[in-house]
Amino acid sequence: MIANITKGRRAAGAILYDFGPGRRDEHVNPRIVAGNVTGTPLQVARAIDHTARQRPDIKAPIWRTSLSLPDEDGILPDGQWATIAEDFIESMGFDGAPWVAVRHGDDHVHLTVSRVDWSGQLLTDRWDYRRAREVADRLEEQHGLVRAADRFKPEGPQVRNNELEAARRRGRGLDGPPPEREELRRIVREVRDASRGLGREAFESGLEDAGVSFRANVASTARMNGYSFTLAGWTDGTDAQVWVPASKVAKDLRWAALGPVLGDGPATPRIPDPRVAFPAAARATSPSLQSLSGDELAAAAERGAEILRRGQAERAIVPVPQQQPAARSTDPAANLLAQWRAIAAGQQLPTDEVPVAPATIPAWTDKARRPHGRLSNDGLATAIKRRERELAALIRSKTAAEVEIRTGDAIATGQITGPYVQELHQLLARLEGAEPRIVAARQHREILTAAEEATTLARAEWREADGRKAKSRWELWRLGTNRAAEKARAADASEAIGYNSDVAAGARTAAAKEEQAARQQSGVRDPDAELDRLRTDWAELVGDAHGRDQDHGTAQRRNGQRDAARHATSITATEKRLVELRQEQAVRKAMPDSQRRAEGRARSAAAQAAFPKSRRGTGPRYSGAGYEQPAHLRQQPPPNRGQGHGL
């Protein structure tokens, strides 16, 4: 699991992007899977931004991350994603702030959090990258996911995106064989281990047996620098063979590491491959074969069969049957043996089939019959893949538009409950769930009010008693009291002031805690007033919500009809273009190899000629036809008025 962290000023843009189509229409069925803020996407974004605005001194109060999984983990259900998101937020210490988790794809989920909690306190993001990595590692173990630490310990240079896409176009990757670089890495390592200590000759012979072509990179001083490898059929867009240096296959295959394993020394001259040498020898000596006797010809045939069986045994190939094959083999040694046996039996030699001349193929520049002939092989495969993705996205969009039409019609006709009525009922349910907190907060507020009133009365009595202590005995006698009584009265009032102040402080703290809990549970800033408003004006609020739902359903149905018609037109055009591209690909597969290579070279030359020379260099140049000079370069320089002017 990978956690990609970003920070920003507002949550509205991020959440609207999550619920939008994406940069390449890759978002499918955006939905909220977890969080402590409810409502429409815009309402959720406004609630998070409203809480973040309590600290205007923080430049980036919005903390955002995407939790993504590799293909090996499969597609997790929304419930498991919700559990992962809640555990992640709690472990990061952000559970006291508003947050939401949005999912619009199979392999990742987006978390948007306010670093300012409900009470206005700033949550720290210190060491958040390291903490996120530790939390992600723990969640991988808890949910049995593939560990990212194991995935990112490559044994050698990895296959990048462009190479992986090209390999998939050649039928590799996914359910097929691995990409060529990975297959080379495996085969060459196996041959190296089998040739350990046997020298270069054994290593190179093993590569030939495994079907790996190689080139020894030997300097002019006869110093061995290493190998380059390739596989049959690994070509680029111009049908040129792709050669990969050993260091690009795997670092342990560099000559500095490979030489000591094999035994650094010159390769011994290799015996020519009998599959190539024997046909030439047979053609050179074919007249003499006619003059051989039957025994000599039979002995020669047996020697050839023994050579063939020995080579097959060395390469672990199943021996060919002794009888003559019904079809002509592609192995030159097997064909030579069949010729010898036919001569010995007095039969007619098998002849090669004459290939049928291919049908005439239009030129690649013929736009009428080959409108996509100018595309390279890789470009053609890329265009087909892109059109297929576009077609799949358009079909999904049309299906979503049809669902939107049905949903809007059901909302407009009252068959299903609309979003505004649902939101109203959800708000009432949350407020009723938080009602015990609301009632407790009211009781603490009443205690607070009573304690404050008692404190005010006690302060008045203390001031009166404290003022009488300074009066004379005669004045105190006239008031019906004495100095000792007033002192006792002042002490009692002071004690009452302290007691009532403590009660008021405790009630104020308890009321604040209950109100904060009610706000978190209901998602409303003033739950007490909102609950009273809903219960007082419930009928009017429900009727207004029904009216807004009908307008919303009508607009949704109309928008869905417009989008469905637009997507249907785009689907027709995309299908037509995809048929043309596939026809061009089929034409190229059917044409001879020489014509395909010639067309590739011609297309490459035409592309080079069409590219402006001023743009072929490494630096940015704006001179040349088709490129306009920037405005600051088109302005004339000021006139030179002599030394000292303009300083």
Side-chain angles (χ1 to χ4, degrees):
M1 180 188 297
I2 301 299
N4 186 18
I5 298 174
T6 57
K7 300 171 186 178
R9 296 184 60 87
R10 297 178 67 249
I15 294 180
L16 291 181
Y17 166 76
D18 292 341
F19 281 88
R23 295 184 177 90
R24 295 177 296 275
D25 295 330
E26 71 273 16
H27 294 180
V28 179
N29 188 20
R31 57 202 180 275
I32 295 177
V33 296
N36 57 5
V37 184
T38 59
T40 64
L42 187 58
Q43 290 173 338
V44 171
R46 288 176 176 173
I48 295 176
D49 285 335
H50 179 75
T51 307
R53 280 195 294 270
Q54 296 182 80
R55 293 293 301 270
D57 55 315
I58 305 302
K59 295 183 179 179
I62 303 301
W63 191 87
R64 184 172 165 84
T65 184
S66 63
L67 303 178
S68 58
L69 300 177
D71 295 339
E72 293 83 355
D73 287 329
I75 301 176
L76 303 185
D78 288 353
Q80 188 172 0
W81 269 121
T83 303
I84 291 174
E86 291 172 356
D87 292 347
F88 185 87
I89 291 295
E90 183 179 359
S91 301
M92 292 295 294
F94 294 153
D95 52 335
W99 67 278
V100 68
V102 178
R103 183 181 185 185
H104 53 217
D106 294 336
D107 59 348
H108 68 283
V109 64
H110 290 277
L111 278 66
T112 306
V113 189
S114 170
R115 289 177 53 216
V116 182
D117 64 7
W118 299 103
S119 62
Q121 297 294 323
L122 179 64
L123 303 179
T124 179
D125 61 344
R126 184 177 179 86
W127 306 107
D128 53 350
Y129 289 90
R130 186 180 69 183
R131 290 191 290 132
R133 179 67 266 155
E134 294 173 353
V135 174
D137 292 342
R138 180 176 57 80
L139 291 176
E140 288 171 350
E141 296 180 359
Q142 289 181 357
H143 295 269
L145 304 176
V146 176
R147 297 181 70 250
D150 297 336
R151 291 175 56 230
F152 291 95
K153 290 182 179 179
E155 299 179 354
Q158 298 301 294
V159 179
R160 301 302 179 187
N161 291 337
N162 294 338
E163 185 178 346
L164 184 60
E165 288 295 329
R168 288 176 177 174
R169 289 194 295 269
R170 292 189 292 269
R172 291 180 173 269
L174 297 180
D175 297 332
E180 289 86 353
R181 190 189 299 266
E182 294 183 359
E183 189 171 0
L184 272 178
R185 182 181 303 136
R186 178 186 61 81
I187 295 175
V188 176
R189 281 177 172 169
E190 291 178 356
V191 174
R192 176 202 61 185
D193 296 339
S195 307
R196 188 179 299 272
L198 301 179
R200 284 177 51 194
E201 196 274 336
F203 176 69
E204 294 173 359
S205 177
L207 292 177
E208 290 178 349
D209 295 342
V212 176
S213 300
F214 62 91
R215 292 191 304 204
N217 303 323
V218 182
S220 58
T221 59
R223 180 177 179 272
M224 178 63 178
N225 294 326
Y227 288 98
S228 296
F229 306 107
T230 188
L231 290 173
W234 191 6
T235 58
D236 58 11
T238 61
D239 291 334
Q241 193 71 25
V242 177
W243 290 88
V244 183
S247 60
K248 300 298 183 182
V249 177
K251 294 183 178 180
D252 55 350
L253 298 178
R254 297 175 298 172
W255 184 246
L258 183 62
V261 175
L262 302 178
D264 190 0
T268 58
R270 295 193 299 275
I271 300 174
D273 192 341
R275 292 175 296 180
V276 179
F278 283 176
R283 289 193 297 269
T285 61
S286 57
S288 61
L289 291 175
Q290 303 292 341
S291 60
L292 294 177
S293 63
D295 295 338
E296 294 174 345
L297 191 59
E302 289 302 327
R303 285 197 300 273
E306 179 62 26
I307 293 173
L308 178 62
R309 286 192 293 271
R310 187 181 304 168
Q312 290 173 340
E314 292 176 355
R315 291 163 174 78
I317 300 176
V318 179
V320 297
Q322 296 296 325
Q323 68 272 14
Q324 182 178 356
R328 188 169 176 82
S329 174
T330 58
D331 190 348
N335 294 332
L336 179 59
L337 182 59
Q339 290 179 4
W340 285 344
R341 286 176 176 168
I343 293 173
Q347 299 175 357
Q348 186 178 0
L349 295 178
T351 58
D352 295 333
E353 297 181 359
V354 179
V356 180
T360 303
I361 299 176
W364 64 278
T365 55
D366 188 350
K367 293 185 178 180
R369 290 182 291 177
R370 294 180 65 183
H372 305 285
R374 293 185 176 273
L375 291 175
S376 64
N377 292 336
D378 287 346
L380 182 62
T382 302
I384 291 175
K385 200 171 189 64
R386 183 172 64 250
R387 293 297 178 183
E388 289 175 346
R389 289 197 301 266
E390 291 178 2
L391 182 60
L394 287 172
I395 293 175
R396 289 195 300 268
S397 300
K398 183 183 177 183
T399 304
E402 293 172 350
V403 172
E404 186 178 1
I405 293 172
R406 293 193 295 269
T407 305
D409 186 72
I411 293 175
T413 56
Q415 298 178 8
I416 62 175
T417 305
Y420 292 100
V421 175
Q422 291 181 4
E423 182 181 355
L424 192 63
H425 282 279
Q426 291 172 0
L427 177 60
L428 179 61
R430 292 197 305 272
L431 289 171
E432 288 178 348
E435 189 172 8
R437 302 282 189 180
I438 297 174
V439 172
R442 288 177 183 173
Q443 294 174 353
H444 288 300
R445 288 294 179 187
E446 292 175 358
I447 295 173
L448 173 63
T449 302
E452 289 179 344
E453 291 177 355
T455 302
T456 302
L457 294 176
R459 285 197 179 96
E461 186 173 358
W462 178 84
R463 283 193 295 269
E464 182 181 1
D466 187 68
R468 287 183 178 182
K469 288 191 300 183
K471 295 181 180 296
S472 62
R473 292 181 179 180
W474 171 253
E475 291 176 336
L476 292 175
W477 178 80
R478 290 182 60 187
L479 294 174
T481 182
N482 53 45
R483 185 172 286 107
E486 293 303 324
K487 287 183 179 181
R489 182 184 171 196
D492 293 341
S494 177
E495 185 178 356
I497 290 171
Y499 172 76
N500 290 324
S501 297
D502 293 340
V503 172
R508 185 181 294 105
T509 303
K513 289 183 178 180
E514 295 294 341
E515 289 175 353
Q516 177 67 18
R519 281 196 295 268
Q520 291 182 354
Q521 188 172 354
S522 64
V524 179
R525 185 171 184 82
D526 191 355
D528 193 359
E530 187 68 15
L531 182 60
D532 291 340
R533 184 181 74 89
L534 290 181
R535 287 178 173 172
T536 303
D537 305 330
W538 178 252
E540 182 180 354
L541 291 173
V542 170
D544 181 63
H546 274 298
R548 287 186 292 170
D549 280 336
Q550 290 180 352
D551 296 339
H552 171 75
T554 303
Q556 181 175 343
R557 179 177 55 193
R558 183 171 57 252
N559 294 337
Q561 292 172 348
R562 184 189 64 239
D563 293 342
R566 178 168 54 87
H567 293 321
T569 304
S570 301
I571 286 172
T572 302
T574 304
E575 287 177 343
K576 179 181 178 182
R577 183 64 60 85
L578 188 57
V579 169
E580 294 175 353
L581 291 168
R582 286 173 176 168
Q583 289 176 350
E584 173 65 23
Q585 192 177 51
V587 167
R588 295 187 187 183
K589 289 182 179 179
M591 69 174 57
D593 293 342
S594 59
Q595 183 178 353
R596 182 165 55 250
R597 288 193 291 269
E599 283 194 1
R601 290 191 294 268
R603 276 190 291 266
S604 179
Q608 289 291 334
F611 199 64
K613 293 182 179 180
S614 59
R615 303 293 289 178
R616 295 181 189 175
T618 57
R621 300 178 182 177
Y622 297 94
S623 60
Y627 290 90
E628 185 181 2
Q629 262 191 333
H632 69 281
L633 295 180
R634 294 198 302 269
Q635 297 176 358
Q636 295 295 330
N640 186 6
R641 300 186 179 181
Q643 186 177 5
H645 290 280
L647 297 179

